[in-house]
Amino acid sequence: MSQLQAEPQIVPAADPETLNEIAAKVRWLATSIVDAANRRRPNSTGVKVGGHQASSASMVEIMTSLWFAELDHTDRVSVKPHASPALHAINYLLGQIDERHLDKLREKGGLQSYPSRLKDPGTVDFSTGSVGIGATAPLWAAVSHRYLRSRFASTPSAGRFVSLLGDAELDEGAIWEAVADPTMSQLGEVLWIVDLNRQSLDRVVPDIQIARLQGMFEAAGWQVITLKWGRTVSALFEQPGGDELRQRLESMTNEEYQRMLRADECELVQRLLGTDSSAQLRAMVTGIPVATLAIAVRDLGGHDIGLLLETYRRVDDHRPTVVFAYTVKGRGLPIEGHPNNHSALLTEEQMIDYAERTGNSLEAPWARFAEQSAAQRLCVQRAGLLERASLPQSKPTVLPATLGYAHKSLISTQAALGRLLSDLARVAPETAARIVTCSPDVASSTNLGGWINKTGVWSASDRRDWFADDKERMLRWSEATSGQHIELGIAEVNLVSLLGELGATWSRWGERLIPIGTIYDPFVTRALEPWSYGMYAGGQSILVGTPSGVTLAPEGGAHQSITTPSVGLEQPGCVSWEPAFAQDLEWTMLHTIDSVGIPGGTSAYFRLTTRPLAQSLAALPSDPNLIERRRRHALAGGYRLSGDAARDQVTLVGVGAIMPEVCAAAETLAAAGVEAGVLVLTSPDLVYRSFDRRGRVAAQSDGSIVDVLFPAELRAPIVSIQDGHPHTLSFLGAIRGDRSINLGVRGFGQSSNLDDAYALHGIDTASIVDAALTLVGR
């Protein structure tokens, strides 16, 4: 065990025969759960319910060895998506799931198709389903726990962080981005077990890739253990002719081996011998009863519970470990080894035969073990050892609505973020102590330098700072266990995966963290799926995309984001913000920080920019009551900057960096005799929600921000302007039925100065004025 792991509880070793009996029951239950959902439940839609009997069957011995002999309540396990029925079966035997749930797989309110931490009734440590991403979650949970433990002494101890993944998941790039991160090589509490069944969704994997995979993990500093054969067939390898038997089995391609498993017993000997076998091998094979031979060729390491338990004792606790456990997909089922068994469902006849072979019943598929049997006693014992106490929650901190510092007269929202974090440490030190920032090698270019100078870079172990005496260095990048910034390599998927787990510590260990990640906004879409996965799994975090839009004109089209405003508006579990002014950023960020890492909290996405804006454009009122009103409106999604709704001939609605052009357009229109009101949206997301809620809940006004900004009785045509795709604000015209023109970025950009970029995309002052005059008929 590593120093971060709890001491294991001493319990009597489980009897191998009992464990195999439990494994057989788990396999039956998992198969029956899928069968009940598809064959026994009424289905009038004609849409296949689905499930994965074969993928569950291959994992049964691995999972049984863990849950019924190895794990304790401090361990956390990620289960491959397609083995969810096996996890449900185990949770049922442990008393965590009531029998009424077992025939409700993939039904509303029932067992989820893939393990879900928030939606399943039994214990699920990590949501999976997004292939490859759920498998890496325990890595980031281990990092999060180490960070938490280094900051807060009250953090509960943790055991191992285990991933059970299919070999096809190793095709996913997210796996290797995570494995390659240098921090991972220090995580001795990490254990991965690969279900090496040599099949993917559509086929038998054509090449033997194990040597390449072993080498990749070893190069990243992992301990690699391979369990190819069980102890029964290994004993045969020690007999005369055994070396030839091993050589013959291991020289088979994956396809030939799988085909042999499908052969009748009368064909087995010939398929095993092949066309060029030695006399010694022939003598050995023909001298073994065919039934025994059929068992031996299926005796793979991943199905030998005793071997698995021995293997866990060999794990090095100073570095991560991966175990390649060979298995048969569909083990023990009529469809075992078939290349198309991934989504195959057993027929009624096959289920009847399976029940008879295993001593189960289709009429009572959910029968447990006899009350006083060794298997039932072990289930009860293990349930007690795995039970987790309720977590005490960290005390809430008091965060002010504003920090009280004046902002520079000319500043960008990106620079304002850096100053806000530094000021927060002085005004609200308790809250600031729970902030952890992360970035994929862009900390300095996203204005976190000042914060890092104050707090330091976090490392799993203290590292010597060889540049401490360099007088020309601006950033002090001392790495220690006391730091509050985690610097990653250029891997956006790793960034958001870590954010998700840092944002789940309050629910895993009762200690709140407030993770803030900065990323170049164009690369938000690259990281969107794993970040969305983190929110689905209950992680709460703040993602800052900066710089954003074509406002970063000289960088060119490759670094100009177009669709991210719409992405932010459409992402569940997240509030999207794009404040224009430093004071707006302060209000909205403080509000967001207060909403992260708590029960019922939410994630947030901030779209910021490097363009400095004159803060005088914000026209902050001097009266404290009016300032508070502005703050409330900013937090609700937007506010009126100028004009009077009763006199508006046209309403200009701007977001973020584009506000100087919007204000200039309003002045130009005023000079031409056109009254133009100006609205600033801090969050088109919240304004849309207000509009959507009004439409779904009641036709009349509910006093929400959409009615404040767009009074129903004071209609006026709308020009919306955003440095992003115009689709994001296209809903505004539907609020009152106003005519509207939506200006934004529709195509890829190019390197230019800012004025040329805005003109190219039609979001400059002249384009705004032209759109407004068109709407008013001038």
Side-chain angles (χ1 to χ4, degrees):
M1 293 289 181
S2 74
Q3 62 177 344
L4 295 180
Q5 293 176 293
E7 289 297 322
Q9 295 172 272
I10 306 300
V11 297
D15 176 73
E17 184 177 341
T18 302
L19 289 172
N20 281 312
E21 182 182 358
I22 291 175
K25 178 65 76 172
V26 170
R27 183 173 281 111
W28 163 260
L29 288 170
T31 305
S32 296
I33 286 170
V34 178
D35 180 63
N38 288 273
R39 196 177 56 77
R40 300 205 297 270
R41 195 164 72 209
N43 183 356
S44 61
T45 67
V47 178
K48 176 183 175 181
V49 175
H52 300 87
Q53 292 172 322
S55 294
S56 294
S58 64
M59 286 288 294
V60 165
E61 282 78 16
I62 294 171
M63 295 176 69
T64 299
S65 70
L66 289 169
W67 268 266
F68 293 94
E70 184 65 18
L71 302 176
D72 68 25
H73 68 278
T74 65
D75 298 318
R76 298 292 186 272
V77 187
S78 169
V79 177
K80 75 172 188 177
H82 295 150
S84 64
L87 178 59
H88 298 320
I90 287 172
N91 281 337
Y92 171 65
L93 291 178
L94 293 173
Q96 295 183 7
I97 293 179
D98 190 85
E99 181 179 315
R100 63 188 171 85
H101 289 293
L102 297 184
D103 62 355
K104 292 181 173 58
L105 177 72
R106 301 188 172 202
E107 186 177 82
K108 182 181 178 182
L111 302 174
Q112 296 301 298
S113 53
Y114 308 121
S116 173
R117 185 167 176 254
L118 301 184
K119 298 179 181 179
D120 272 315
T123 297
V124 176
D125 293 325
F126 299 94
S127 298
T128 56
S130 206
V131 176
I133 295 172
T136 66
L139 292 175
W140 305 114
V143 173
S144 299
H145 183 265
R146 285 208 178 196
Y147 177 87
L148 201 67
R149 195 76 182 271
S150 69
R151 299 287 305 173
F152 305 103
S154 58
T155 303
S157 297
R160 287 157 296 187
F161 294 85
V162 184
S163 288
L164 307 179
L165 62 161
D167 50 348
E169 283 194 88
L170 297 179
D171 292 340
E172 289 287 346
I175 295 286
W176 301 108
E177 284 191 45
V179 168
D181 188 272
T183 300
M184 300 307 163
S185 63
Q186 304 178 56
L187 302 180
E189 61 269 41
V190 164
L191 171 64
W192 280 20
I193 305 176
V194 179
D195 174 17
L196 196 67
N197 59 44
R198 293 176 277 194
Q199 289 186 233
S200 58
L201 271 67
D202 298 327
R203 60 177 182 162
V204 176
V205 177
D207 299 317
I208 299 174
Q209 304 182 54
I210 183 65
R212 178 173 61 84
L213 295 172
Q214 289 169 328
M216 292 168 73
F217 276 102
E218 287 172 348
W222 290 52
Q223 178 188 20
V224 178
I225 300 174
T226 301
L227 304 181
K228 187 159 191 176
W229 302 110
R231 292 170 298 178
T232 298
V233 72
S234 293
L236 293 179
F237 295 154
E238 300 301 317
Q239 298 180 13
D243 285 341
E244 288 87 346
L245 177 61
R246 178 194 286 269
Q247 183 178 356
R248 168 61 181 144
L249 286 170
E250 294 186 351
S251 66
M252 288 182 177
T253 65
N254 292 340
E255 296 97 327
E256 183 183 5
Y257 176 78
Q258 299 281 105
R259 182 63 185 89
M260 181 182 66
L261 298 181
R262 301 292 303 165
D264 294 334
E265 287 191 354
C266 61
E267 301 176 36
L268 178 58
V269 171
Q270 190 55 49
R271 285 188 177 273
L272 179 56
L273 291 173
T275 58
D276 188 26
S277 57
S278 68
Q280 191 173 28
L281 175 61
R282 184 172 294 276
M284 178 191 189
V285 169
T286 55
I288 300 174
V290 175
T292 302
L293 201 60
I295 293 172
V297 297
R298 290 167 168 80
D299 183 32
L300 300 182
H303 298 305
D304 188 330
I305 291 179
L307 180 61
L308 287 163
L309 294 178
E310 290 177 8
T311 300
Y312 302 147
R313 305 279 78 80
R314 295 163 51 197
V315 168
D316 184 349
D317 64 1
H318 296 93
R319 55 178 174 155
T321 297
V322 58
V323 176
F324 289 99
Y326 278 76
T327 63
V328 176
K329 193 164 185 174
R331 165 81 167 187
L333 305 182
I335 56 176
E336 72 171 0
H338 194 283
N340 303 124
N341 67 7
H342 181 78
S343 298
L345 300 172
L346 268 60
T347 65
E348 182 176 6
E349 291 74 21
Q350 288 173 322
M351 285 297 297
I352 292 172
D353 176 67
Y354 181 38
E356 291 175 351
R357 285 193 293 108
T358 57
N360 290 288
S361 167
L362 282 180
E363 285 68 40
W366 318 126
R368 298 177 183 270
F369 298 111
E371 189 64 33
Q372 295 303 317
S373 66
Q376 182 60 22
R377 290 199 303 272
L378 181 57
C379 288
V380 172
Q381 179 195 67
R382 295 300 301 173
L385 291 171
L386 293 168
E387 185 177 3
R388 295 170 185 164
S390 58
L391 291 171
Q393 292 295 318
S394 54
K395 296 179 180 179
T397 56
V398 178
L399 193 62
T402 185
L403 298 179
Y405 292 101
H407 296 283
K408 290 184 176 180
S409 59
L410 188 67
I411 192 171
S412 68
T413 47
Q414 178 180 287
L417 172 66
R419 292 198 57 183
L420 183 147
L421 291 175
S422 297
D423 291 342
L424 187 64
R426 293 191 291 270
V427 176
E430 290 187 4
T431 298
R434 295 191 176 272
I435 289 177
V436 51
T437 57
C438 312
S439 65
D441 202 41
V442 294
S444 56
S445 55
T446 53
N447 272 86
L448 293 183
W451 163 261
I452 295 172
N453 279 346
K454 289 179 180 293
T455 62
V457 176
W458 181 83
S459 177
S461 58
D462 292 348
R463 297 169 63 91
R464 180 173 177 177
D465 184 1
W466 287 95
F467 286 86
D469 59 349
D470 187 342
K471 297 179 180 179
E472 296 182 6
R473 187 177 66 165
M474 297 297 294
L475 297 176
R476 294 187 293 276
W477 291 85
S478 57
E479 297 182 57
T481 56
S482 59
Q484 283 185 252
H485 174 78
I486 301 178
E487 185 76 0
L488 301 167
I490 306 175
E492 290 81 7
V493 171
N494 285 354
L495 169 75
V496 295
S497 297
L498 176 58
L499 288 179
E501 287 303 320
L502 288 168
T505 59
W506 67 273
S507 58
R508 291 200 191 281
W509 299 291
E511 287 289 352
R512 177 194 187 197
L513 289 176
I514 305 164
I516 302 175
T518 60
I519 181 175
Y520 284 176
D521 195 65
F523 307 136
V524 165
T525 49
R526 181 184 298 177
L528 183 60
E529 184 194 356
W531 191 47
S532 181
Y533 157 83
M535 286 181 267
Y536 171 79
Q540 301 167 16
S541 61
I542 302 170
L543 185 63
V544 179
T546 183
S548 65
V550 300
T551 298
L552 193 64
E555 289 281 354
H559 275 198
Q560 295 173 357
S561 51
I562 299 170
T563 61
T564 50
S566 182
V567 165
L569 186 148
E570 295 163 2
Q571 173 60 48
C574 169
V575 178
S576 175
W577 302 93
E578 190 170 349
F581 303 109
Q583 187 61 67
D584 294 347
L585 173 69
E586 178 184 317
W587 287 331
T588 56
M589 183 60 75
L590 291 175
H591 172 76
T592 298
I593 287 172
D594 221 18
S595 305
V596 169
I598 59 174
T602 185
S603 293
Y605 161 51
F606 278 81
R607 195 170 187 258
L608 305 183
T609 180
T610 56
R611 182 190 188 187
L613 298 190
Q615 299 303 298
S616 59
L617 289 175
L620 283 170
S622 57
D623 184 282
N625 294 317
L626 295 180
I627 290 180
E628 173 59 19
R629 185 174 189 270
R630 168 76 68 89
R631 187 186 73 86
R632 291 197 312 270
H633 286 183
L635 296 182
Y639 55 87
R640 177 170 283 270
L641 182 62
S642 65
D644 184 340
R647 295 198 299 267
D648 283 357
Q649 294 175 265
V650 64
T651 303
L652 308 182
V653 183
V655 182
I658 206 74
M659 288 313 301
E661 283 66 33
V662 176
C663 292
E667 292 178 1
T668 300
L669 289 168
V674 177
E675 292 276 356
V678 176
L679 302 183
V680 180
L681 299 192
T682 53
S683 173
D685 182 8
L686 291 180
V687 175
Y688 175 77
R689 294 187 200 190
S690 174
F691 167 56
D692 181 58
R693 183 172 61 250
R694 187 187 68 179
R696 288 185 295 110
V697 176
Q700 68 272 18
S701 169
D702 64 356
S704 60
I705 191 64
V706 73
D707 300 303
V708 174
L709 298 178
F710 303 96
E713 70 282 4
L714 300 175
R715 295 180 56 179
I718 295 171
V719 179
S720 68
I721 315 98
Q722 184 170 26
D723 185 0
H725 200 281
H727 159 264
T728 313
L729 301 178
S730 61
F731 70 91
L732 295 177
I735 293 175
R736 298 179 300 198
D738 298 318
R739 291 180 300 124
S740 64
I741 294 177
N742 308 115
L743 303 180
V745 181
R746 293 173 171 83
F748 293 113
Q750 58 182 281
S751 294
S752 67
N753 61 37
L754 188 61
D755 291 340
D756 287 341
Y758 279 10
L760 173 67
H761 295 285
I763 53 176
D764 58 329
T765 300
S767 297
I768 299 169
V769 170
D770 182 66
L773 292 176
T774 298
L775 286 174
V776 298
R778 295 277 294 272

